């Protein structure tokens, strides 16, 4: 017979592992079902965490009353968000207005592909595809998009309401326990660092992509620049998707000409330089998460909260890692998240 103490220790570890699995599954289910309320709350909390240093600067260095500093910062966020939304809506309207022209270009491209295929002895018939393009229910698609736009606006309003409460209640929130206060402060500093620098890098990448497309005369260059800025907040997959999106428009304009491949090379170079050299160098130490774990977190949060989860994956995992690193039994998990085995 074995040692009873060792057997008891093994059983205890097994029970702990099973309890952890059950708790993780329950937490995931709770996250899915509370998404309509919890997701805007988390987004607003992340935004507040990112901009609270600005409030501290205005109230500390410039000696402004905290309420005034919070009001100025909140107003700046509101104006910037409104301008960005108006810019996106204007770009979408321009795209919808040019739908007929794009259909004509697609038809011309299909005719060209038909002639090329006939020359090489492999005739292709795109007539059914052309008919499908002509009969596309554009207005139904636009109505369908309206549902998503309404959902986005609803979430945005909830975010602003939560953000306003955070600003108003931030001063009254006091944490007496020094350890808890240090954990909250570390989470706040790291998430603020990540969001601010990620926004700057994404803005630089979006501007670079827009400039390249604009110089080459690619249509919808502004839309692709804005999409690049937004998608670059999604780790790894965002930059790839941002590079792929302009390709159909580039192909419709230039075909498979040298200009198409030069433009494609410049886009890849810009994304590679800013996304794989500058981004990891600036954010690597601040995030302290292993790339494999980032990819797993991206998949998990995308499955749980959709696209918004993909944007929130890294900040949420940064906060989780800091909490785990301050709990003695969970420190190995925090080290595992950082890739230190």
């Amino acid at each position: 017979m074995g040692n009873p103490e060792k057997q008891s220790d093994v059983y205890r570890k097994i029970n702990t592992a099973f309890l952890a699995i059950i708790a993780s599954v329950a937490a995931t289910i709770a996250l899915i079902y509370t998404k309509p309320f919890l997701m805007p709350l988390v987004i607003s909390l992340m935004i507040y965490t990112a901009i609270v240093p600005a409030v501290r600067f205005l109230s500390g260095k410039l000696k402004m009353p905290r309420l005034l500093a919070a009001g100025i910062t909140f107003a700046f966020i509101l104006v910037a968000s409104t301008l960005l939304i108006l810019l996106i809506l204007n770009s979408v309207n321009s795209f919808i207005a040019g739908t007929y022209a794009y259909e004509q270009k697609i038809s011309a491209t299909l005719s060209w592909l038909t002639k090329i295929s006939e020359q090489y002895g492999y005739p292709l018939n795109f007539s059914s595809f052309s008919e499908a393009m002509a009969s596309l229910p554009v207005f139904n698609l636009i109505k369908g998009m309206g549902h998503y736009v309404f959902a986005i606006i609803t979430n945005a309003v909830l975010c602003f309401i939560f953000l306003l409460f955070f600003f108003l209640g931030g001063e009254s929130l006091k944490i007496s326990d020094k350890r808890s206060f240090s954990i909250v402060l570390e989470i706040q500093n790291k998430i603020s660092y990540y969001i601010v620098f990620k926004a700057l890098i994404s803005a630089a990448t979006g501007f670079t992509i827009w400039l390249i497309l604009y110089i080459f005369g690619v249509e919808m260059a502004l839309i692709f620049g804005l999409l690049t800025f937004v998608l670059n907040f999604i780790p790894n997959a965002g930059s790839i998707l941002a590079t792929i999106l302009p390709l159909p428009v580039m192909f419709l304009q230039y075909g498979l000409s040298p200009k198409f491949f030069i433009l494609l090379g410049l886009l890849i170079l810009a994304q590679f330089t800013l996304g794989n050299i500058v981004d990891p160098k600036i954010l690597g130490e601040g995030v302290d998460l292993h790339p494999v774990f980032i990819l797993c977190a991206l998949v998990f949060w995308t499955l749980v909260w959709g696209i918004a989860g993909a944007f929130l994956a890294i900040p949420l995992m940064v906060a989780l890692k800091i909490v785990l690193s301050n709990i003695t039994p969970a420190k190995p998990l925090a080290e595992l998240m950082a890739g230190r085995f």
Side-chain angles (χ1 to χ4, degrees):
M1 295 180 64
N3 190 336
E5 292 184 1
K6 287 185 178 181
Q7 289 182 351
S8 177
D9 186 56
V10 170
Y11 290 143
R12 187 166 55 252
K13 288 181 179 179
I14 293 173
N15 289 336
T16 303
F18 274 110
L19 286 173
I21 293 171
I22 294 170
S24 300
V25 172
T28 303
I29 294 172
L31 287 171
I32 293 172
Y33 279 97
T34 58
K35 174 184 173 181
F37 171 80
L38 192 58
M39 188 175 68
L41 177 63
V42 173
I43 292 173
S44 58
L45 182 59
M46 293 297 173
I47 296 173
Y48 175 76
T49 301
I51 60 181
V52 74
V55 178
R56 289 176 181 167
F57 175 80
L58 292 175
S59 60
K61 298 291 184 181
L62 302 183
K63 306 300 181 183
M64 282 187 184
R66 192 185 185 283
L67 190 60
L68 177 61
I72 292 173
T73 308
F74 184 79
F76 174 79
I77 295 297
L78 185 61
V79 171
S81 301
T82 303
L83 290 176
L84 182 62
I85 290 170
L86 290 175
L87 192 60
I88 292 173
L89 289 176
N90 182 59
S91 300
V92 171
N93 288 333
S94 300
F95 172 72
I96 293 172
T99 302
Y100 178 76
Y102 298 131
E103 288 180 358
Q104 296 299 313
K105 288 182 179 180
I106 292 172
S107 299
T109 302
L110 293 176
S111 300
W112 175 75
L113 289 174
T114 303
K115 291 179 181 178
I116 294 295
S117 64
E118 289 175 353
Q119 289 178 4
Y120 286 94
Y122 297 98
L124 299 173
N125 186 9
F126 291 102
S127 58
S128 58
F129 185 80
S130 300
E131 292 173 2
M133 287 293 300
S135 61
L136 271 178
V138 178
F139 291 105
N140 290 337
L141 289 174
I142 294 172
K143 287 179 182 178
M145 289 175 61
H147 171 73
Y148 293 105
V149 170
F150 177 76
I152 291 172
I153 292 174
T154 303
N155 287 328
V157 171
L158 281 174
C159 287
F160 279 120
I161 292 172
F162 287 137
L163 195 58
L164 180 61
F165 278 106
F166 283 136
F167 273 122
L168 294 176
E171 189 175 12
S172 60
L173 181 62
K174 303 294 182 183
I175 301 176
S176 57
D177 183 58
K178 290 184 178 181
R179 186 181 178 187
S180 300
F181 178 77
S182 65
I183 293 173
V184 171
L185 191 62
E186 186 181 358
I187 292 173
Q188 194 176 75
N189 290 337
K190 286 206 172 186
I191 292 179
S192 177
Y193 175 87
Y194 170 78
I195 293 176
V196 170
F197 279 96
K198 188 66 176 179
L200 292 174
I201 294 170
S202 298
T205 308
F207 176 79
T208 304
I209 297 300
W210 167 80
L211 186 62
I212 293 171
L213 295 175
Y214 177 77
I215 291 173
F216 277 78
V218 177
E219 296 177 6
M220 299 167 57
L222 181 60
I223 291 179
F224 293 128
L226 289 171
L227 286 173
T228 301
F229 167 73
V230 174
L231 290 172
N232 263 33
F233 279 91
I234 301 176
N236 304 322
S239 58
I240 297 173
L241 185 59
T243 305
I244 293 173
L245 284 177
L247 296 186
V249 176
M250 289 161 48
F251 177 75
L252 289 174
Q253 284 191 239
Y254 306 123
L256 296 177
S257 64
K259 198 172 185 179
F260 173 87
F261 291 102
I262 292 171
L263 185 53
L264 177 60
L266 290 173
L267 294 179
I268 293 174
L269 180 62
Q271 287 284 6
F272 178 81
T273 303
L274 292 168
N276 294 293
I277 297 176
V278 177
D279 195 334
K281 188 174 182 180
I282 293 177
L283 296 175
E285 295 181 2
V287 173
D288 194 26
L289 293 172
H290 194 273
V292 174
F293 182 81
I294 290 175
L295 184 60
C296 294
L298 176 64
V299 172
F300 172 78
W301 284 106
T302 303
L303 290 173
V304 172
W305 279 356
I307 296 176
F311 287 98
L312 295 170
I314 290 185
L316 288 171
M317 291 300 97
V318 168
L320 178 62
K321 180 182 174 299
I322 293 171
V323 172
L324 293 177
S325 64
N326 284 275
I327 301 173
T328 303
K331 279 186 179 180
L333 288 176
E335 293 298 307
L336 181 64
M337 292 169 69
R340 294 186 288 269
F341 307 108

